[in-house]
Amino acid sequence: MGKMKFLVQRLLDMNYKAMLDKISSIHKKTGRSRWAVFQDMRRCAVKYGAGYMDYDLFEMYDLTPEQRDTYLTRGRNNEFVIKYNDKDYMGDLDDKARFNARFESFLHREWVPVTGENKADVLAFLERNPVFMAKPTVGSCGRGIEKLNTADFASLDALYGHLAEQAPRLELEAVIKQHPALDGLYPGSINTTRVVTIRGRSGHVYFVAAILRVGSGGKFVDNFNNGGMMAPVDVETGIVRMPAIDKQKNLYETHPATGTAIQGFALPDWEAAKEMCAQAAQVIPQVGYIGWDVCFAPDGPCLVEGNQYPGN
């Protein structure tokens, strides 16, 4: 029933123009008729839970049934969410301010919500953090995040007025300083690693996957859907196993901006990062399937956020 409900909801929410654009693109690439592409796309949706974005990104049109069956599609990801995550407890991950309050011991940085009623707290934060990150409390893919400098405003009161316009849907965070190794990879963004864990009923935490996300193109966010690239990490060793890929499917063995090797890159303090995620996974046991965004700072790993729908 959960799978069928998901498929029905996807049909209702689908961007049909974007789907038709993907079909046309695959038609031009493969020479297959648009109708044949659509029918194959439909079969993959039913059998593998693959949306049209999965079908295109994973190039399912070139895969055998056995190869298609190895992918964690959006539909299959949703099945894990339904199985392990109680929706009544997912709000503490969906809302960044609530997440920060619940997981504060893992943040290792100062932050403050902008509620519209805590002006003194916000001004004190701005005094201590002249350059800071302003993040919507609810959102994804790095959208709406700003890096602000108090020097760009006439006064702290003027800056507070700008921020308060978004209250109570905004929180502020001190800028994270990343480990020199990650800074050498790409200094324009904080390059995080998505670490996906499943907490079993016994409380044991399993590490499902890890993906290094790297910024590119001058952007200060590393999200794959906002101009970044990603590369799979060996969960046992913390070493990047393959070249990075961006959303246009370009492959990168080295970073185009710095020339630093991506394939073979070793994440610093990897065991400490895994231990931190294992501890964080115990905070809300009712949400057992989480994608943690981990930053590697000079003095050790810290959490940026947690995702109850652990895509990349």
Side-chain angles (χ1 to χ4, degrees):
M1 181 61 69
K3 182 177 180 180
M4 184 56 64
K5 182 179 179 181
F6 173 78
L7 287 173
V8 171
Q9 191 61 50
R10 290 293 295 141
L11 287 172
L12 294 174
D13 296 340
M14 188 177 297
N15 182 335
Y16 286 95
K17 181 181 183 305
M19 182 186 73
L20 292 173
D21 287 344
K22 288 296 182 187
I23 290 173
S24 294
S25 173
I26 295 167
H27 156 70
K28 292 177 182 178
K29 186 181 298 184
T30 64
R32 299 170 192 166
S33 72
R34 290 177 175 84
W35 179 250
V37 173
F38 170 72
Q39 287 296 331
D40 192 44
M41 191 179 281
R42 181 186 60 79
R43 286 191 291 269
C44 285
V46 174
K47 187 168 184 179
Y48 309 109
Y52 65 88
M53 291 294 292
D54 290 334
Y55 185 85
D56 175 64
L57 182 63
F58 301 146
E59 298 184 348
M60 286 187 159
Y61 45 84
D62 275 343
L63 300 180
T64 66
E66 292 76 19
Q67 290 170 327
R68 291 173 170 182
D69 203 28
T70 64
Y71 282 89
L72 180 62
T73 62
R74 182 166 181 174
R76 288 175 168 178
N77 188 64
N78 187 68
E79 290 175 9
F80 280 115
V81 172
I82 292 172
K83 180 176 181 178
Y84 289 103
N85 294 351
D86 186 331
K87 63 181 180 180
D88 291 337
Y89 293 86
M90 287 163 60
D92 282 348
L93 283 90
D94 188 51
D95 185 294
K96 289 181 175 61
R98 289 169 62 181
F99 175 86
N100 285 358
R102 197 73 185 267
F103 293 88
E104 190 154 17
S105 63
F106 302 100
L107 301 183
H108 301 171
R109 63 188 177 280
E110 188 179 4
W111 73 282
V112 64
V114 181
T115 66
E117 300 176 351
N118 63 336
K119 181 176 180 179
D121 293 337
V122 173
L123 291 177
F125 172 91
L126 297 176
E127 289 276 8
R128 295 188 295 269
N129 300 277
V131 180
F132 62 95
M133 307 302 296
K135 300 182 179 182
T137 55
V138 178
S140 61
C141 301
R143 298 186 186 96
I145 296 176
E146 294 184 285
K147 188 175 185 179
L148 299 178
N149 190 327
T150 58
D152 294 332
F153 294 81
S155 66
L156 291 186
D157 274 329
L159 174 53
Y160 175 78
H162 168 74
L163 298 171
E165 291 176 357
Q166 303 175 63
R169 300 178 302 278
L170 189 71
E171 57 99 9
L172 314 180
E173 298 183 9
V175 175
I176 301 173
K177 181 177 176 60
Q178 67 183 343
H179 192 283
L182 276 301
D183 214 43
L185 185 59
Y186 179 68
S189 69
I190 299 301
N191 306 304
T192 63
T193 297
R194 173 68 57 85
V195 180
V196 181
T197 61
I198 289 180
R199 181 189 182 277
R201 289 188 177 86
S202 67
H204 180 76
V205 175
Y206 300 87
F207 289 86
V208 178
I211 303 290
L212 172 65
R213 293 118 57 85
V214 187
S216 185
K219 294 191 176 183
F220 62 84
V221 294
D222 63 354
N223 194 279
F224 182 72
N225 291 302
N226 204 356
M229 57 183 75
M230 63 182 185
V233 175
D234 187 308
V235 296
E236 295 299 324
T237 65
I239 296 175
V240 177
R241 299 179 297 168
M242 299 171 65
I245 188 171
D246 63 18
K247 200 165 185 180
Q248 289 68 48
K249 303 180 189 175
N250 299 307
L251 295 176
Y252 303 90
E253 293 186 1
T254 61
H255 198 287
T258 63
T260 302
I262 297 175
Q263 186 171 3
F265 184 87
L267 293 168
D269 303 317
W270 180 241
E271 289 303 320
K274 289 174 66 176
E275 177 59 29
M276 177 185 67
C277 292
Q279 293 178 18
Q282 306 295 344
V283 174
I284 310 177
Q286 296 86 355
V287 184
Y289 179 48
I290 298 176
W292 308 100
D293 289 348
V294 176
C295 171
F296 295 88
D299 57 352
C302 61
L303 287 183
V304 176
E305 64 181 34
N307 301 270
Q308 72 274 35
Y309 291 96
N312 293 318

